[in-house]
Amino acid sequence: MGLDDRKLAVLRAIVEDYVSTQEPVGSKALVERHQLGVSPATVRNDMAVLEEEGYIRQPHTSAGRVPTDRGYRLFVDRLSRVKPLSPAERRAIERFLVGAVDLDDVVHRTVRLLAQLTRQVAVVQYPSLARSSVRHLELVPISTTRLMLVMIADTGRVEQRLVELPGPVLADDVTDLRRLINEKLAGARLSETPPLVQALVEEAPTDLRPTMTTLATVLLETLVERHEERIALAGTANLTRGGLLDFQGSLRPILEALEEEVVLLKLIGETEPSTTRVLIGDENEFDNLRAASVVSTGYGPGATILGGMGVLGPTRMDYPGNIATVRAVARYVGELLAQN
Amino acid sequence: MGLDDRKLAVLRAIVEDYVSTQEPVGSKALVERHQLGVSPATVRNDMAVLEEEGYIRQPHTSAGRVPTDRGYRLFVDRLSRVKPLSPAERRAIERFLVGAVDLDDVVHRTVRLLAQLTRQVAVVQYPSLARSSVRHLELVPISTTRLMLVMIADTGRVEQRLVELPGPVLADDVTDLRRLINEKLAGARLSETPPLVQALVEEAPTDLRPTMTTLATVLLETLVERHEERIALAGTANLTRGGLLDFQGSLRPILEALEEEVVLLKLIGETEPSTTRVLIGDENEFDNLRAASVVSTGYGPGATILGGMGVLGPTRMDYPGNIATVRAVARYVGELLAQN
DNA sequence: GACTGGCACTCGTTACAGTCGAGTGCCAGG
DNA sequence: CCTGGCACTCGACTGTAACGAGTGCCAGTC
């Protein structure tokens, strides 16, 4: 396809103007605001080509041009220049995250920070259990036939679960069980626990066998099967910025999608290490989000990825800015986690 | 004020019709749909009085009448008949809540259930720590100078916190600390802990004194001061039902309010035992929510109130239905908690 | 060959006038 | 006290016209 440098410059100018003004941009306004060095007529010819190639389109015959999803894609891939964060923003990130007292706190602060900086909806996944290790498993007697099982992961995440035992157990038994379980599981990656749990049951002393079997079931459920992912969300009010123009007038599908953990996880949770993923409009697999874009990345200490985070907004968003912000926040949170 | 029975019946009819049709209701339509036994002209006279008293108003001169906040208030206080839940709804409640495995699960299921049944935004407060007792405090060594403090409340709520110690401690010391702390605090109501924590420090053996002091600080922070309340939210997509007519076209203020935990707590957290509170429009203390109504109630095992739950929607909502649903769900959750 | 100025054309937006009808307030009579 | 009748109000809708931003195309220029 014959897209010379000037045509690309025109596309870039259109995207930038449209993102900031939210109005279809015409040839005249374009040459006035950017130093393209050519006349409106020439720009019009370029626009005709860009439209033919599917990068921009006209909402109405007598209106200016608007980028298509494909246009944004080209812009993101080849035209946008990295936008370094302002010192003020860097300071905001530090100030906001310093002083977090536990993992919950870190995640909540992060998601609010992202929402505030990007003025979009922010999503942060808790460190995935699948990629964590067991630091400690605690058994707390609640009654003679009930235990509270508390699992502490190396990421600081804590999961708990009430266990109904088949019969009463003594305090000493609980101590034994606790020791056996920790000897076997402490330090193991969660994804590797199933065979270990199996071994626990087999190696348990006969009198503890039934109790251990019950515990094993719950352990497997808690560690592997059940709701292993958690998510924090913030900034939904930002969806209403830009009036009703974005999202073609209805927030409904977006809000519905945001209530589905599964959807959010797919959006931000499957990022490869150290890359930033951008999903634009209908590149998204969910129909509800065909009018939205997502910028996401993974985070974690060093090169390990423990979870994802990102922002969601209208396709008409400031991609370079949001990409830079998401990256910076993710890196900072990674460093923070590495300290623990 | 001279509101005879018929005028009240007219008001009730107006509220019911407006809630279901979402359109201003006129005198003619009213007599057609309700057996009032009088002519439209008479109804018009009644309406004039109701308007004068501030219970209804006309959006435009040539339009029908719409209830005011004051009108809804009168309706809720004196005119609405209790709407018993349908068997289907009762079954839905049971089916939805049965099988919850821990507190998190109960709360999440509850909030989703409420949102689904009322088709409004649902809010559920986690059992308040202030009103809970300590069941057990666990200390888990992370490194020689770091402990994870885990607090398990009798409601099943679990809070954790990382503690940096002033110096290294031995495993035996940790055992001692754990025993001392639990001897003193287990079973105590959280609101009564501060003096007990103080005593812990004073009575600690000299060699454990510095460590205990650090722990005490964190304990007080975790148990009493910090973020002691948690909240779950669901059904925000329901805000978009009824097009843009409710909330005068902008969801913004509502969404903003919903992001503030403090606001939500004020809305649903201050309910007196066993009553259902209804806040209508500007009765609400938050400007952002002057177009919304809230139906809330407390819940807990037996007569104790551990937290609040409720729904939020447009002032034009089905008050009797929502009140009945919120009550039923709260009662059911209370019973569920009593079993633990 | 690439760019430019000019021009006719399209079509959404806005303004204005006119009609329609739902709903009202008021009044005289039962 | 209720009712039927009637004049009135005013928002919603329709049709027409003027406007203007923006376009595509073409002939002319460098």
Side-chain angles (χ1 to χ4, degrees), chain A residues 139 173-184 200:
Chain A
L139 296 177
D173 291 343
V174 174
T175 312
D176 287 347
L177 287 166
R178 181 187 299 129
R179 186 175 40 77
L180 288 171
I181 292 178
N182 276 294
E183 276 172 8
K184 186 68 86 180
L200 261 180

Side-chain angles (χ1 to χ4, degrees), chain A residues 19 23 46 48 55-57 64 74 92 121 129 143 146 160 186 208 212 226 243-244 246 249 263 279 286 292 324 334:
Chain A
V19 164
E23 268 170 16
D46 291 348
Y55 295 113
I56 56 178
R57 65 185 178 82
L74 185 61
V121 179
L129 286 186
S143 71
R146 271 186 178 165
Q160 72 275 358
L208 293 182
M212 189 60 102
R226 210 175 61 84
L244 302 167
D246 303 324
V263 173
L279 285 175
F286 302 102

Side-chain angles (χ1 to χ4, degrees), chain B residues 131 268-277 296-299 303 305 307:
Chain B
R131 298 174 191 134
I268 62 152
E270 300 191 330
T271 321
E272 291 138 41
S274 77
T275 56
T276 308
R277 184 171 65 167
S296 65
T297 191
Y299 72 91
I305 300 294

Side-chain angles (χ1 to χ4, degrees), chain A residues 6 38-39 41-42 44-45 60-62:
Chain A
R6 197 189 57 223
V38 291
S39 78
T42 310
R44 282 203 288 280
N45 288 327
H60 319 290
T61 317
S62 71

Side-chain angles (χ1 to χ4, degrees), chain A residues 97-250:
Chain A
L97 293 181
V98 156
V101 296
D102 64 12
L103 184 69
D104 255 348
D105 208 15
V106 170
V107 171
H108 277 111
R109 284 175 190 232
T110 304
V111 76
R112 289 194 162 226
L113 175 66
L114 263 184
Q116 198 172 305
L117 287 177
T118 61
R119 317 205 65 181
Q120 310 287 354
V121 179
V123 189
V124 175
Q125 178 190 9
Y126 276 69
S128 167
L129 286 186
R131 299 175 191 134
S132 318
S133 305
V134 177
R135 177 170 280 158
H136 184 82
L137 281 160
E138 187 58 44
L139 296 177
V140 181
I142 301 296
S143 71
T144 49
T145 61
R146 271 186 178 165
L147 290 179
M148 172 83 77
L149 170 69
V150 182
M151 193 276 292
I152 304 175
D154 58 352
T155 52
R157 232 180 109 171
V158 178
E159 294 285 314
Q160 72 275 358
R161 184 74 188 274
L162 201 65
V163 188
E164 295 279 350
L165 301 178
V169 286
L170 305 172
D172 284 352
D173 291 343
V174 174
T175 312
D176 287 347
L177 287 166
R178 181 187 299 129
R179 186 175 40 77
L180 288 171
I181 292 178
N182 276 294
E183 276 172 8
K184 186 68 86 180
L185 297 180
R189 314 212 73 199
L190 260 81
S191 49
E192 302 161 351
T193 49
L196 298 176
V197 171
Q198 185 56 35
L200 261 180
V201 175
E202 286 161 12
E203 296 166 13
T206 325
D207 57 331
L208 293 182
R209 187 71 62 88
T211 310
M212 189 60 102
T213 309
T214 309
L215 278 173
T217 314
V218 177
L219 268 172
L220 284 179
E221 272 181 44
T222 309
L223 301 186
V224 187
E225 295 159 23
R226 210 175 61 84
H227 82 14
E228 68 169 28
E229 304 301 347
R230 295 183 64 191
I231 282 209
L233 192 70
T236 45
N238 288 330
L239 289 174
T240 60
R241 288 174 51 243
L244 302 167
L245 292 164
D246 303 324
F247 309 122
Q248 56 228 38
S250 173

Side-chain angles (χ1 to χ4, degrees), chain A residues 52-70:
Chain A
E52 211 170 316
E53 302 274 352
Y55 295 113
I56 56 178
R57 65 185 178 82
Q58 279 183 288
H60 319 290
T61 317
S62 71
R65 302 306 216 287
V66 161
T68 60
D69 290 351
R70 194 166 171 219

